[in-house]
Amino acid sequence: MKDSVIAAQQTPSAQRTTRDLARAAVSGWLGTAMEFMDFQLYSLAAAIVFNKIFFPDVSPAIGLIAAMATYGVGYVARLAGAVYFGRMGDRIGRKKVLYLTILLMGASTTLIGALPTYAAIGILAPVLLVALRLVQGFGAGAEIAGATVLLAEYAPVKRRGLVSSLVSLGTNSGTLAASGLWAVLLAVLSEDQLLSWGWRLPFLLSFVLMLFAVWLRRGLKESPVFEQRADVVDGVALAKDEVIAAAREGDPLAAGIRQRKGKAFFLALGLRFGQAGNSGLVQTFLVGYIATNLAVGRSVPTDAIVYGSLLGFVTVPLVGLLGDRFGRRAVYLALTALTVVVAFPVLLLITSGSTPGVLLGMVLGLNVGVLGLFSLESVTMAELFGARTRFTQLALAKEIGGILATAIGPVLAATLTAVTSSWWPIAAMLVVYSLITFVSALLAPETRGRDLVRLEDAV
């Protein structure tokens, strides 16, 4: 066994062509786009119609809280998926896991569009909705982590931030597609048409995207970093006891197996907190809050997400380039500080009651506090972790951050705004989330240019 490990360490670098990189980039972008389209379809439906068709026997405020809670249960399932598929991805490779996750997400999202409503089968309707939401979340729990790892491990070192930002661009594309679909539905359908059958169309149409994504990933090659790992033999990672037996003092195996884990994980969790929390508030809660509490057209919040997502096609790669040029920490600190400064002015714009104010505030909040941070997160978290546990740790950091911030945040915001009858708790939550990420970036090491084949974490 020891000889085989040493032989694995001496294997020449795995070569990938520009075509391989392009296929990996499109695969990562498309899978993440599908994940976020699925979740944005659900979050918009939860904010706009699910409180009426799945929770009709309660007041509008309680119905919104119930719909947001149903949205949040998917994040619990995501954590289970992160553990299960993350370990699998670190053991047998990134490619196989990404094939499975896309199937789970696509099938569950399509089936949501075929669900009977509360009027048809009573309490069983929200029960089935929650069940499909759990399956959807289980697959999604490793999708974005796997795509992030794959792209970071494929990318040229000097352009790692830009290439990895395609994952974030995938989130933006998915958000845009879902918001665009809902904007069209709200514009052309009456209230009765929307509630009776119109809400089903976006979920059913996602089936086409799933078929294309599955086809694309069938021809994807494994990550070159995974193939070069010192602890991988014949395409499978060695067990911990095998690595310990083979490791010699000072070699890559020893560094990877003997390092105590924890520091990098908690720093990554803090980096995740700002983006995840801000996303739950801007992309989920505020859509429902505006539609329920402000005297603007019902399509205004979804239009704002569409415009913000379009601008994100500039924001995301630009932030990736800035991270490659100036380092991850400096750009993190600048973006989070800017979010803290503009949080209250942005909420003043949104709650002004004017359509231009709502649009401008939502676009600013989405690009500064969500998409810009996501672009940095994609590459920084991958660089923080060692190759042996990168998939698992990254997936867990993302999903635990999602549970603590994105899933709980909208429910907490709904409760606080109902109790205070004011918008200020939303702005305060944006400030708190962003400060957590600011402090984490301040404490984190600079990871730009790190060798991703190394088995140990950056700290």
Side-chain angles (χ1 to χ4, degrees):
M1 177 61 68
K2 185 173 181 178
D3 291 340
S4 64
V5 174
I6 294 172
Q9 292 174 326
Q10 296 172 344
T11 300
S13 297
Q15 298 298 315
R16 292 292 182 271
T17 65
T18 302
R19 184 176 180 179
D20 293 329
L21 174 60
R23 193 178 188 96
V26 174
S27 172
W29 164 77
L30 184 60
T32 307
M34 183 174 171
E35 175 193 347
F36 271 72
M37 188 178 97
D38 292 350
F39 267 60
Q40 186 69 1
L41 285 176
Y42 190 98
S43 65
L44 289 172
I48 297 169
V49 299
F50 278 1
N51 60 323
K52 300 173 184 176
I53 61 179
F54 287 104
F55 307 97
D57 291 344
V58 295
S59 69
I62 298 300
L64 180 60
I65 293 173
M68 290 295 123
T70 307
Y71 167 79
V73 300
Y75 283 88
V76 179
R78 289 177 69 110
L79 181 57
V83 174
Y84 181 79
F85 289 117
R87 289 178 176 176
M88 184 185 295
D90 281 326
R91 186 172 59 86
I92 64 173
R94 314 341 185 174
K95 172 187 172 180
K96 295 174 183 176
V97 167
L98 288 172
Y99 189 78
L100 293 174
T101 55
I102 205 79
L103 283 171
L104 279 176
M105 289 192 311
S108 57
T109 302
T110 302
L111 288 173
I112 287 175
L115 278 179
T117 65
Y118 188 94
I121 60 172
I123 193 64
L124 187 59
V127 170
L128 290 173
L129 179 66
V130 170
L132 287 176
R133 177 72 171 153
L134 289 171
V135 175
Q136 185 189 58
F138 187 68
E143 169 60 38
I144 192 168
T148 298
V149 169
L150 187 76
L151 273 188
E153 292 183 345
Y154 254 93
V157 174
K158 292 184 179 180
R159 286 291 176 262
R160 191 182 289 156
L162 175 62
V163 173
S164 297
S165 74
L166 289 176
V167 173
S168 307
L169 209 56
T171 70
N172 195 40
S173 303
T175 299
L176 177 62
S179 301
L181 283 170
W182 271 106
V184 170
L185 291 176
L186 290 169
V188 304
L189 297 181
S190 67
E191 181 86 2
D192 289 340
Q193 290 173 323
L194 187 67
L195 293 177
S196 61
W197 56 268
W199 68 270
R200 299 181 184 276
L201 294 179
F203 295 97
L204 296 175
L205 288 173
S206 69
F207 182 73
V208 178
L209 186 60
M210 181 195 74
L211 290 180
F212 180 64
V214 167
W215 170 81
L216 185 67
R217 287 188 174 177
R218 288 189 65 183
L220 185 64
K221 292 182 180 179
E222 183 53 77
S223 153
V225 167
F226 181 82
E227 293 183 350
Q228 293 177 67
R229 274 171 47 184
D231 64 330
V232 170
V233 177
D234 296 328
V236 179
L238 299 172
K240 185 175 181 178
D241 57 344
E242 294 175 315
V243 176
I244 291 174
R248 295 171 298 182
E249 191 65 36
D251 71 13
L253 284 172
I257 204 68
R258 293 173 185 168
Q259 183 190 41
R260 296 186 65 180
K261 303 293 182 184
K263 291 182 180 180
F265 178 81
F266 285 109
L267 287 173
L269 188 62
L271 294 177
R272 168 71 167 152
F273 222 86
Q275 185 279 327
N278 295 347
S279 174
L281 292 175
V282 175
Q283 293 177 265
T284 301
F285 176 74
L286 277 174
V287 171
Y289 181 84
I290 292 167
T292 304
N293 296 279
L294 302 183
V296 295
R298 63 176 185 169
S299 65
V300 170
T302 50
D303 288 344
I305 296 295
V306 170
Y307 299 147
S309 297
L310 285 172
L311 181 58
F313 283 98
V314 176
T315 301
V316 167
L318 176 61
V319 170
L321 283 170
L322 290 174
D324 285 331
R325 175 66 178 85
F326 299 105
R328 320 302 182 205
R329 291 178 74 249
V331 184
Y332 250 123
L333 294 172
L335 276 178
T336 48
L338 181 59
T339 305
V340 170
V341 170
V342 303
F344 279 87
V346 159
L347 262 296
L348 276 172
L349 279 172
I350 292 172
T351 57
S352 65
S354 72
T355 297
V358 172
L359 292 174
L360 180 59
M362 290 286 282
V363 168
L364 284 173
L366 181 61
N367 278 269
V368 176
V370 180
L371 296 178
L373 291 180
F374 216 148
S375 180
L376 278 174
E377 178 185 299
S378 296
V379 65
T380 309
M381 290 176 68
E383 292 172 331
L384 272 173
F385 299 124
R388 181 170 170 81
T389 58
R390 178 172 293 126
F391 199 149
T392 304
Q393 290 201 83
L394 196 153
L396 282 173
K398 280 184 174 291
E399 300 315 320
I400 291 174
I403 290 173
L404 294 177
T406 313
I408 295 175
V411 180
L412 179 61
T415 304
L416 290 176
T417 52
V419 170
T420 63
S421 300
S422 176
W423 55 265
W424 70 261
I426 309 170
M429 289 175 69
L430 286 171
V431 169
V432 171
Y433 286 147
S434 300
L435 284 176
I436 291 172
T437 293
F438 181 90
V439 172
S440 300
L442 200 61
L443 297 175
E446 178 55 63
T447 59
R448 179 182 53 168
R450 187 168 188 263
D451 182 4
L452 296 187
V453 181
R454 295 176 64 175
L455 299 184
E456 73 275 16
D457 294 342
V459 290

